[in-house]
Amino acid sequence: MRAAVVKICARFGDDYWLQRDRDGKFPEELYRALADDGWLGVCIPQAYGGSGLGVTEAALMMQAITASGAGLSGASAVHMNIFGLNPVVVYGTEAQKRRMLPPIVAGKEKACFAVTEPNAGLETAKLQTRAERRGDIYVINGAKIWISTAQVADKMLILARTTPIEDVRKPTDGLSLFYTALDRRFIEVREIEKMGRKAVDSNQMFIDGLQVSAEDRIGEDGRGFEYILHGFNPERILVAAEAIGLGRAALSRAAAYAKERVVFGRPIGQNQAIQHPLAQCWMELEAADLMMLKAAWQYDNGVPCAPAANAAKYLAAEAGFQACQTAVMTHGGYGYAKEYHVERYLREIMIPRIAPVSPQLILCFIAEKVLGLPKSY
Ligand SMILES: Cc1cc2nc3c(=O)[nH]c(=O)nc-3n(C[C@H](O)[C@H](O)[C@H](O)COP(=O)(O)OP(=O)(O)OC[C@H]3O[C@@H](n4cnc5c(N)ncnc54)[C@H](O)[C@@H]3O)c2cc1C
């Protein structure tokens, strides 16, 4: 599997990604190549056109993409297709699955995931976007932020409040999930200028009177939070795999450069001050990879995986960051030049550190759920 993905990615070299980083164009060619060979449906059941494989296989695939040098620009272009529609697979009706999944597998439709809001941040239960039921439709009003691929998406998976927070038993109740058209007549999508991954847009979304058929609601009214929670662990596993792949790409560039660059009459890589940080990065990436594979194995075998999935995302993002940072420093001044690529990796590796959940919140989760300490937030 990995070899097949590596082969596809080899068609998109460093110059391609440097160019996308400059012009910000969506990497449609990689997206198409992966769609044409059936990779977008890796986790979708065979009945709906996918391959029906597990999160382990998806993680290997995503890791191969970032490790090829495509980085997050490559992985984020397909990330949503790979596991984003998991709530539809698990909680959708048969008719919804037949309608929603095949176009995603075939690469005929792109989708985005609209959860984060400006006034709620990580406190998802406090989101303010409202979906009001009027007969057979819901009318959605609100604002979202950081929504990736909304410039190019045809569809969105959106979480909105259907019952006011004052009327529910607990704050996470009363949220509902919809998979529906991103109808630009009722949604203004405004791109955020950001630090890296220019080719895969992130946006503010202003939703004003969007009408959504009740047939586009996934599962029961009011249980949307529970449904997206189900997809959190596999998403953390994929993000971990992506971060490790990018860290490895940075590390291999750094090691190659350290062998070649001669200063003071010898390759810089002969100095322990250069070697040791690189060796440490290798060990940290390998350890994070094992944690990621443990979490993936647990998920695929129905074993509770939240501690391992959270730990994997944390460890992989930090190890990936160390590797990218060390790669820049190993290159000295050239590390700061775009043509050596590692500065791009450093800008991109910040994304798996921050999203979809911050390192602080992972530490809070482990402290509370694994160590039994009091909830701190
Ligand atoms: C490039 C990019 C792409 C994204 N794509 C998407 C997307 O497609 N869809 C989507 O829905 N979202 C997306 N996001 C949003 C992302 O998931 C959020 O940015 C992330 O969840 C953090 O939320 P926030 O930025 O509002 O941080 P906040 O909630 O404002 O938190 C800010 C900081 O405070 C810390 N903090 C808050 N409370 C505590 C506490 N109690 N204890 C300790 N620390 C605390 C946090 O850890 C964080 O460091 C994306 C973000 C980025 C940067």
Side-chain angles (χ1 to χ4, degrees), residues 36-59:
D36 290 348
D37 284 2
W39 289 103
L40 299 188
V42 64
C43 290
I44 306 236
Q46 287 177 329
Y48 313 105
S51 309
L53 297 170
V55 79
T56 307
E57 287 85 355

Side-chain angles (χ1 to χ4, degrees), residues 113 115-116 121-122 146-148 197 202 351 354-356 358 360-361 377:
F113 187 45
V115 174
T116 307
L122 288 158
W146 285 114
I147 310 312
S148 297
R197 206 195 67 182
S202 295
I351 300 172
I354 298 169
S358 69
Q360 291 86 354
L361 266 277
Y377 58 96

Side-chain angles (χ1 to χ4, degrees), residues 299-331:
Y299 183 85
D300 286 337
N301 288 280
V303 177
C305 70
N310 278 283
K313 144 59 184 139
Y314 178 98
L315 295 171
E318 297 309 310
F321 173 67
Q322 276 310 325
C324 293
Q325 181 174 244
T326 307
V328 170
M329 295 310 284
T330 303
H331 281 72

